[in-house]
Amino acid sequence: MTEFPHTEARETHRVVDTRCAMDSRQAVLHVNKLYHPWIGGVERVVQDLTEGLCRYEGVKATVLCCSPRGLGGHERVNGVPVIRCASLGMTMGMPISPTFLAAFFRLAREYSLVHLHMPFPLGAAAAMAAAPVLQRTRTIVHYHSDVVRQKRLQWVYLPLLRSIVERADRIIVSSPPYMQSEHLRPVLGKCVVIPPPIDLTRHRRGNPEAARQLRMKLNISPEERIVLFVGRFVYYKGLEYLVDAMREIRGTLVLVGDGPLKAAIRDRVVSGGPQFARRVRLVGAVSDLNLGSYYDIADVFVLPSVERTEAFGIVQLEAMARGVPVVNTELGTGVEWASPHGVTGLTVPPRRSDALAGAIKMILEDEQLRETFSRNALNRVRAFDVRVIAGAVAQLYGEVLAQGSP
């Protein structure tokens, strides 16, 4: 069982004092740029965490976020109150919301604790601007990842980030490797590792008949080996290296997802010739309801990311929950910590199609190794169950609130 260097919340969430967890003081405002149904790693974490807190720990979690474009509104998503601010659209991955600052000022005063999910420059700016009037509000910063590529954003964001982490009461970091981020070194004493959650009740092995039907739909024979990728088609995923690796592998590559680089990936597949193209399926975005069957038909899951923007890789946990071995890349983030080399799969250097091909072939061709990785994956993923993680977060809330007013 994986141990997280926070408190005693290792194997069971019941270490949390339920009287504290049910205390009405634990009404928490989660602040993130977007929320479900927007597809993104951080958005999935925020959704699973807030739903888990409400369901298992009795915390009254509310989400303040932006619409990707258009009007905002109030709604409930699986029981969680969600307040969306209107947005003019997205730029450099961030929403432009003229109404967000006022909404933050109004709402944050009503809560004793604000849980800020970073990176989100607008959220950091709002928290700093509101600091003088939020004298009784405590703040937890959830540090999901560094800002890597958006250089134009950094000159504005990094000073805000430094200020907000200095003011924060505690900082949640998603994995031990990310504790080494240069932006966290001055405040390591405030940092605790609590990894992203996964709702294992949603990610159990499914109906074999559904998997058989999916193979038929994709025109993949029962004996054909399947290599699976799930995620957005964006620069840091390294999909071009996975496509190139498949030229050396006997099997079918199934690519689930969408994004700005989808056309480029399709062109790369076509450039391999008709025989190669017949071994690749670009299936587009898939609903949560149907995604499980894709994991069920996979023999190996690959996360070929090439940048530290890939801070964790939640999809790895989804694959592991179905007993699928993982091939990932060494990025110095939580990616290789979540699925360790030689335990639940294999880790290779980034931007190396030959290394990817070698690792994939090793797993596909060695049934005993594949079964060992599968068993280990099912065992390891239990440590990330939403009940464990929600318990650790609720306990942290209790510790922060017990300190009294800032």
Side-chain angles (χ1 to χ4, degrees), residues 306-326:
V306 295
E307 297 283 358
R308 278 178 59 86
T309 309
E310 190 73 84
F312 196 89
I314 300 295
V315 285
Q316 296 183 114
L317 300 184
E318 296 179 359
M320 290 160 60
R322 302 266 178 166
V324 183
V326 173

Side-chain angles (χ1 to χ4, degrees), residues 105-404:
F105 265 74
R106 176 175 55 84
L107 286 167
R109 300 185 196 193
E110 301 174 9
Y111 293 81
S112 52
L113 198 152
V114 172
H115 188 141
L116 286 168
H117 295 269
M118 297 286 115
F120 180 25
L122 185 57
M128 289 305 302
V133 298
L134 298 180
Q135 298 298 323
R136 301 180 60 186
T137 302
R138 290 200 166 272
T139 303
I140 288 177
V141 169
H142 203 137
Y143 194 89
H144 292 276
S145 71
D146 295 333
V147 172
V148 178
R149 196 182 192 193
Q150 293 94 332
K151 301 298 184 183
R152 288 179 297 170
L153 193 63
Q154 288 188 13
W155 73 273
V156 175
Y157 176 62
L158 292 183
L160 284 172
L161 177 64
R162 283 192 292 270
S163 296
I164 203 68
V165 296
E166 288 173 2
R167 288 176 173 268
D169 293 285
R170 300 299 286 275
I171 301 165
I172 295 176
V173 187
S174 59
S175 68
Y178 239 94
M179 294 279 274
Q180 304 307 313
S181 169
E182 62 177 311
H183 306 303
L184 297 179
R185 288 173 193 161
V187 290
L188 280 180
K190 298 181 181 182
C191 295
V192 296
V193 172
I194 303 179
I198 180 171
D199 188 347
L200 293 182
T201 62
R202 291 205 311 252
H203 293 285
R204 293 174 179 153
R205 285 178 172 173
N207 184 348
E209 177 59 22
R212 188 185 71 83
Q213 292 289 338
L214 179 58
R215 275 184 175 265
M216 291 178 59
K217 176 183 175 182
L218 297 175
N219 194 24
I220 302 174
S221 64
E223 64 276 5
E224 182 81 358
R225 295 298 186 189
I226 294 177
V227 179
L228 176 68
F229 167 85
V230 176
R232 296 189 66 221
F233 287 50
V234 290
Y235 76 97
Y236 63 87
K237 293 295 183 179
L239 274 169
E240 63 272 29
Y241 299 98
L242 175 56
V243 170
D244 291 349
M246 285 300 298
R247 301 175 194 272
E248 310 297 324
I249 296 167
R250 295 180 60 184
T252 296
L253 174 62
V254 177
L255 301 174
V256 176
D258 211 336
L261 298 184
K262 187 173 183 180
I265 295 301
R266 183 183 291 110
D267 290 344
R268 201 177 193 96
V269 170
V270 172
S271 71
Q275 287 190 338
F276 177 70
R278 282 195 290 270
R279 296 194 295 111
V280 181
R281 307 287 188 274
L282 285 90
V283 300
V286 173
S287 69
D288 288 345
L289 183 64
N290 297 320
L291 183 58
S293 294
Y294 285 86
Y295 289 116
D296 287 339
I297 66 173
D299 294 287
V300 60
F301 179 85
V302 184
L303 188 66
S305 304
V306 295
E307 297 283 358
R308 278 178 59 86
T309 309
E310 190 73 84
F312 196 89
I314 300 295
V315 285
Q316 296 183 114
L317 300 184
E318 296 179 359
M320 290 160 60
R322 302 266 178 166
V324 183
V326 173
V327 173
N328 59 23
T329 51
E330 187 175 4
L331 301 173
T333 68
V335 168
E336 57 267 42
W337 178 75
S339 179
H341 178 71
V343 179
T344 57
L346 299 173
T347 301
V348 301
R351 297 182 177 85
R352 287 275 306 277
S353 295
D354 59 335
L356 280 173
I360 294 168
K361 285 195 285 189
M362 182 180 295
I363 293 174
L364 293 181
E365 294 171 3
D366 190 332
E367 184 176 356
Q368 184 175 355
L369 181 66
R370 193 165 63 250
E371 290 177 354
T372 298
F373 286 160
S374 177
R375 287 194 302 271
N376 292 345
L378 290 169
N379 181 58
R380 180 170 175 78
V381 79
R382 293 176 192 151
F384 302 94
D385 182 70
V386 65
R387 289 169 292 182
V388 177
I389 304 306
V393 172
Q395 181 166 309
L396 183 64
Y397 289 168
E399 293 171 4
V400 169
L401 291 172
Q403 297 172 12

Side-chain angles (χ1 to χ4, degrees), residues 38-60:
W38 182 266
I39 297 174
V42 174
E43 285 68 39
R44 169 57 76 184
V45 171
V46 178
Q47 181 186 5
D48 283 345
L49 180 56
T50 52
E51 290 180 10
L53 286 166
C54 292
R55 184 183 310 129
Y56 297 111
E57 297 300 331
V59 174
K60 298 176 181 178

